[in-house]
Amino acid sequence: MPTYLPTLRLAKVLEPCEIRISQALIDAYAQLSGDFNPIHVSPAAGQAAGFGSTIAHGCLPLEPVLQSLQRWSQRRSLPPGTRIQLRYRAPSRPGDTLRSSVTVKERTPSGLTLAFDCTNQNGQDTLQGDATVALK
C-alpha cells in the first residue's frame, strides 16, 4: 500500500516542537515501560552516577523530533519502514526544555532522509541523528 505524505523540498525545516522534562514525566515513563533504573527515578542514584540528579529515559528526549515528524506527516504514527539513527550528546534532566530541529537532508525515489537534533534551554545539543522515511 503506498504511503502518501506531504511533499518537502531539500533543506526544508519542519515545524519545531518542544517538551519540558519533569520528574513526573520520567516517573510516568518508568511506570509505562517498567524501566526503574535508579538513575531515572532516584536523585541520589543520579547524583552518585555523576549526573547531578535523575536523567530522562532515552525515548523522552526524542519526543520533540517525533512530534515534528508526526505534524508533518499528519499521522499519529510514523510510516512503516521509518528508520531512526541517533546519538545522545548530553543527558536530559528534570527542568530541561527540549526543542527539535528537523531538516530535509536527502530525497530519493523511495523516501526522505531528515537530519535532526534537539537542544535544551541552554542551547546544548542533547541528541542528533537522521530519520529515513519510506515514501513507497
Side-chain angles (χ1 to χ4, degrees):
M1 173 184 242
T3 301
Y4 299 99
L5 297 169
T7 58
L8 292 172
R9 67 185 190 291
L10 289 179
K12 167 73 176 167
V13 177
L14 302 187
E15 178 183 352
C17 292
E18 284 186 359
I19 65 165
R20 183 162 173 81
I21 302 293
S22 67
Q23 191 59 51
L25 179 64
I26 294 170
D27 292 344
Y29 187 83
Q31 287 288 331
L32 180 68
S33 68
D35 181 354
F36 292 95
N37 184 320
I39 64 171
H40 302 306
V41 297
S42 167
Q47 177 82 21
F51 294 113
S53 182
T54 57
I55 60 170
H57 298 80
C59 293
L60 293 175
L62 184 59
E63 183 62 21
V65 171
L66 298 176
Q67 287 179 10
S68 290
L69 292 172
Q70 288 171 317
R71 286 183 184 176
W72 157 69
S73 69
Q74 301 170 5
R75 297 169 178 245
R76 289 183 55 180
S77 61
L78 298 176
T82 298
R83 292 181 300 137
I84 295 177
Q85 297 178 316
L86 66 100
R87 175 175 286 165
Y88 292 96
R89 298 290 186 188
S92 298
R93 298 176 176 86
D96 282 351
T97 298
L98 305 179
R99 183 178 180 87
S100 65
S101 174
V102 182
T103 305
V104 179
K105 180 176 167 182
E106 180 182 18
R107 183 176 181 91
T108 66
S110 62
L112 291 172
T113 300
L114 301 109
F116 63 80
D117 64 60
C118 275
T119 55
N120 65 20
Q121 69 281 358
N122 299 319
Q124 181 182 29
D125 284 334
T126 57
L127 59 84
Q128 295 176 323
D130 291 317
T132 302
V133 180
L135 298 179
K136 293 184 179 182

